[in-house]
Amino acid sequence: MGSRATDLGTVLVTGGSRGIGLALAKEFARNGHDLVLVAREEAALERAASRLAIETGVRVETRTADIADPEEVERLVRGLEDAGITVDVLVNNAGIGDHAPLVDSDPERLQRLLQLNVLGLTGLTRRLLPDMLSRGRGRILNVASLVAYFQGGPNWTTYVASKAYVLSFTRGLAIELRGTGVLETALAPGPTDTDFVSRSGVGDVRAYRWLPKASPERIAHAAYVGTMAGRTTVIPGLLNRLLAFLGELHPRGVAQAVFTLLSGSATSTTPG
Ligand SMILES: NC(=O)c1ccc[n+]([C@@H]2O[C@H](COP(=O)([O-])OP(=O)(O)OC[C@H]3O[C@@H](n4cnc5c(N)ncnc54)[C@H](OP(=O)(O)O)[C@@H]3O)[C@@H](O)[C@H]2O)c1
């Protein structure tokens, strides 16, 4: 195993089997951290784990769990406790998206989206935080999105609102945790080249057509540096930082107009 840059040991990554989560896992492993990868599909997890272990030499455990299900979150944490695995860094990365007018969207998918992106992230953090506090050290990295800075996102309202929750949750908790040794970071990637684009139906969204797509590796490197430096927010890419800045400007009318344009379908003629 490589030497670690900090006294923080094992990193748990939800959604660690592919995309940004896998790239984050690799970045932490390159820096000497052991890993626990969590996702639902076992075969993909095992493939990712054996590749990472061979490439980096760290210890990689896998756990299948649906983070949208509170009972599975509890089973996951108890299983780690029984195995004597201490989580020093929690990466709340697993998330799904959706793109459709609310009235046309699948109610079950919206439910799952909120259960995963909002409640799963909150529940796992609440469950692992007491141990981090008792050790006086830890990091929590929450994967939000650039859309968290949008002043509402027509046609993907629920996804955009879920990521605004993640950003607000992180900013609040970061202040609450001051002086405890546990630091909280929100990562806000812009469009990134992963399966999320096809699985969440965002391929036709103007933000995805017009803005350059980053590689997951580039996002993961920026996230690692920001997390270890204890930064509360990390927005990889200059253009994305400009858009996020615009999103927080007052009055919000201009930002709202820009994000309404970026939220629409590139192949439709309506602005929303
Ligand atoms: N790609 C982008 O453009 C982009 C931009 C901004 C933010 N993000 C955010 O980045 C995060 C990762 O996205 P990605 O692009 O890497 O997506 P991805 O390629 O679709 O990967 C999603 C990962 O999450 C896991 N997952 C999905 N549902 C889960 C559940 N209920 N329980 C446990 N694991 C689950 C998946 O494995 P299983 O399916 O096997 O469970 C997979 O490992 C998400 O929070 C997303 O909102 C993405």
Side-chain angles (χ1 to χ4, degrees):
M1 156 173 157
S3 65
R4 277 202 302 267
T6 71
D7 61 350
L8 296 165
T10 300
V11 181
L12 183 149
V13 186
T14 69
S17 61
R18 59 172 193 265
I20 295 172
L22 177 57
L24 282 166
K26 199 173 195 170
E27 183 72 33
F28 277 101
R30 279 207 190 104
N31 285 282
H33 296 268
D34 291 337
L35 298 170
V36 180
L37 305 182
V38 180
R40 290 164 307 170
E41 196 203 313
E42 190 167 11
L45 267 181
E46 292 304 333
R47 273 196 306 276
S50 55
R51 241 190 4 250
L52 284 175
I54 291 166
E55 283 174 23
T56 64
V58 303
R59 187 172 162 208
V60 188
E61 297 271 336
T62 60
R63 296 287 188 278
T64 53
D66 181 349
I67 300 296
D69 180 341
E71 284 179 13
E72 293 210 14
V73 169
E74 185 56 29
R75 181 181 55 78
L76 166 70
V77 175
R78 292 223 172 153
L80 294 174
E81 287 168 353
D82 291 348
I85 295 172
T86 300
V87 176
D88 280 320
V89 182
L90 166 62
V91 180
N92 280 312
N93 161 77
I96 57 171
D98 190 49
H99 191 260
L102 187 74
V103 73
D104 297 334
S105 53
D106 173 7
E108 272 177 32
R109 184 169 178 89
L110 292 187
Q111 181 97 3
R112 223 173 29 250
L113 186 156
L114 290 170
Q115 271 163 348
L116 177 62
N117 297 10
V118 173
L119 298 177
L121 173 143
T122 308
L124 189 55
T125 303
R126 174 64 185 85
R127 193 61 178 78
L128 292 178
L129 184 58
D131 271 0
M132 291 185 185
L133 290 174
S134 68
R135 289 193 300 279
R137 62 166 203 267
R139 293 284 193 283
I140 300 167
L141 170 61
N142 294 323
V143 180
S145 167
L146 177 63
V147 304
Y149 292 87
F150 284 28
Q151 300 301 326
N155 294 329
W156 49 353
T157 49
T158 311
Y159 176 69
V160 171
S162 78
K163 293 301 179 176
Y165 172 89
V166 175
L167 181 61
S168 172
F169 176 83
T170 306
R171 283 174 161 163
L173 194 54
I175 296 169
E176 201 175 301
L177 294 176
R178 271 183 195 154
T180 65
V182 181
L183 299 174
E184 178 95 354
T185 299
L187 171 68
T192 308
D193 198 5
T194 71
D195 290 354
F196 175 88
V197 180
S198 56
R199 285 177 191 250
S200 297
V202 297
D204 190 41
V205 179
R206 291 192 189 103
Y208 278 82
R209 288 283 184 99
W210 292 354
L211 300 177
K213 279 197 212 58
S215 73
E217 290 72 25
R218 189 164 159 256
I219 300 297
H221 181 66
Y224 177 80
V225 172
T227 301
M228 287 309 165
R231 291 181 48 202
T232 304
T233 52
V234 176
I235 308 167
L238 184 60
L239 179 58
N240 294 333
R241 281 198 288 281
L242 276 172
L243 284 166
F245 174 72
L246 173 68
E248 296 199 308
L249 277 185
H250 294 260
R252 295 188 168 144
V254 176
Q256 223 151 28
V258 171
F259 293 132
T260 295
L261 187 68
L262 284 176
S263 293
S265 155
T267 51
S268 108
T269 48
T270 50

